[in-house]
């Protein structure tokens, strides 16, 4: 990433390869992740975080394995139980 002290933020945003990641739609992601379409957590998870997917797999279209493990591991139920 360029320095904000050297380049205007609008230029950084508009010329960034990250812009394509920010503009991804769930439909595009599902086209590459068929197993996620049938997952009961998909509506809440939404394939997780793109940054996490890239860090873990190198592919911005991959599912986020960290979010997948959290959702499938019952983090929501555990979190809600802590609030009671």
């Amino acid at each position: 990433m360029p320095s904000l002290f050297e380049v205007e933020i609008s230029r950084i945003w508009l010329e960034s390869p990250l812009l394509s990641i920010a503009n991804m739609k769930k439909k595009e992601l599902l086209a590459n992740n068929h197993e996620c379409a049938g997952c009961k957590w998909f509506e809440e998870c939404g394939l997780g975080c793109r940054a996490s997917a890239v860090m873990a797999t190198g592919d911005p279209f991959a599912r986020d394995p960290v979010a997948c493990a959290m959702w499938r591991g019952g983090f929501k139920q555990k979190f809600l139980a802590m609030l009671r």
Side-chain angles (χ1 to χ4, degrees):
M1 289 296 288
S3 169
L4 291 175
F5 295 112
E6 299 170 10
V7 182
E8 291 181 29
I9 193 165
S10 61
R11 183 170 160 219
I12 292 170
W13 179 250
L14 293 173
E15 294 176 7
S16 172
L18 300 177
L19 184 59
S20 64
I21 294 173
N23 287 332
M24 284 182 186
K25 306 288 186 250
K26 280 187 180 180
K27 181 172 70 173
E28 294 173 289
L29 296 171
L30 278 176
N32 293 290
N33 297 284
H34 301 289
E35 68 183 274
C36 294
C39 179
K40 71 178 187 175
W41 297 110
F42 173 72
E43 288 300 318
E44 294 183 66
C45 168
L47 292 150
C49 172
R50 298 300 83 223
S52 181
V54 170
M55 291 299 295
T57 68
D59 179 4
F61 287 97
R63 70 176 174 82
D64 172 1
V66 174
C68 189
M70 285 175 39
W71 284 99
R72 290 180 183 212
F75 105 92
K76 182 178 181 179
Q77 293 85 352
K78 292 173 187 173
F79 181 75
L80 292 174
M82 288 179 5
L83 297 177
R84 292 183 195 134

